[in-house]
Amino acid sequence: MANDGVNGPVNTGRRRFLTATTSVVGAVGAGFVAVPFIKSWNPSARAKLAGAPVTADISGLQEGQRLILEWRGQPIWIVRRSKAVLDALPTLDGNLRDPNSENKEQQPDYISGETRSIKPEVSVLVGLCTHLGCSPEMAAEIKPEPYDPDWKGGYFCPCHKSRFDMSGRVYQGVPAPTNLVVPPHYYADDNTIVVGVDPQGAA
C-alpha cells in the first residue's frame, strides 16, 4: 500500500505526459498528411495553363513544313500547304467520308470548305486520330505510297491504317469515323496564330 502511495502520482504523471506527447505527435503527423492532401485540391500550375491559349509565330514556316504545339495536352499541327496540295483537295471529295465537314463537332462554325482553314495555305489541326487517339504520320508530298498509289498528300495512321487528306478529312473505308479536329484559333497578325480562342465576332 505504501508503494501505491509513492508510485501512484508518478504513474499518473507519466500517463499524462505520454498521452500529451502522443496527441502532439499524432496531430503533427496528421498535419503532414493533410498538407499534400489539401494541396491536391488546388490546381497545379500546369493544370492552370492547360486550357490557356498558345501563340505561334509562323513567319518561318515553309511549304510542306509542320509546326507542333501543345494545347490542352493535345498536339496541334500547323502546316503550310503548297499550291499543288491545295489544288488537289477538291479532287478527293469522292474518296472521303465527310468531304464537306458536315460533322460540326469537328471544327468551329467559321471553318468550312475543302481547306478547313482561315487562310487556305495554313492548316491547323489537332494531331490525334479520331479512331483511338494515335498520332498519324504526315506524308505531305504528292506521290505514290504503299497505302495509296494515288496519294495526294495527307496523314496516315500506321496503328490501324486510317488516312486523312491535307485538310484532315477522313477517307472512306478506314477505322477513323470522323475528320481530324480543327481547334479554335485566330490570327493576331499575318504571322501569328493564337490557338484556343475564337476570332472576335465568331459565333
Side-chain angles (χ1 to χ4, degrees):
M1 296 295 293
N3 285 342
D4 289 342
V6 172
N7 295 334
V10 173
N11 288 342
T12 302
R14 283 183 179 168
R15 279 194 205 98
R16 287 178 183 160
F17 174 76
L18 290 172
T19 301
T21 304
T22 303
S23 299
V24 170
V25 171
V28 171
F32 281 122
V33 171
V35 168
F37 180 70
I38 291 169
K39 279 187 177 179
S40 71
W41 295 345
N42 300 322
S44 65
R46 183 177 177 85
K48 289 177 182 176
L49 293 173
V54 292
T55 302
D57 179 354
I58 60 167
S59 58
L61 195 63
Q62 302 298 312
E63 284 188 359
Q65 287 186 333
R66 172 175 56 176
L67 175 63
I68 302 177
L69 309 176
E70 183 180 345
W71 174 67
R72 291 186 174 177
Q74 304 173 106
I76 303 298
W77 295 343
I78 301 176
V79 177
R80 189 176 294 277
R81 297 175 288 199
S82 67
K83 184 179 184 303
V85 162
L86 292 174
D87 289 344
L89 290 177
T91 71
L92 298 173
D93 286 7
N95 301 326
L96 305 174
R97 181 170 291 167
D98 183 13
N100 299 317
S101 301
E102 294 177 6
N103 184 337
K104 299 303 180 184
E105 295 179 358
Q106 301 309 110
Q107 63 277 316
D109 290 340
Y110 50 86
I111 299 296
S112 62
E114 65 265 1
T115 64
R116 300 181 77 220
S117 61
I118 295 173
K119 292 186 176 183
E121 69 276 15
V122 180
S123 171
V124 183
L125 299 168
V126 175
L128 296 175
C129 180
T130 54
H131 177 221
L132 293 177
C134 303
S135 188
E137 298 173 351
M138 184 173 82
E141 290 185 60
I142 299 177
K143 65 174 187 176
E145 294 287 355
Y147 43 83
D148 188 342
D150 195 31
W151 187 244
K152 303 298 183 185
Y155 305 96
F156 174 71
C157 188
C159 301
H160 302 98
K161 316 304 182 192
S162 290
R163 290 175 290 141
F164 306 86
D165 74 356
M166 285 300 291
S167 289
R169 297 180 298 173
V170 67
Y171 275 74
Q172 295 177 7
V174 301
T178 56
N179 296 341
L180 297 180
V181 173
V182 177
H185 64 281
Y186 75 95
Y187 287 83
D189 57 48
D190 287 344
N191 293 311
T192 306
I193 293 181
V194 180
V195 177
V197 181
D198 294 315
Q200 285 189 344

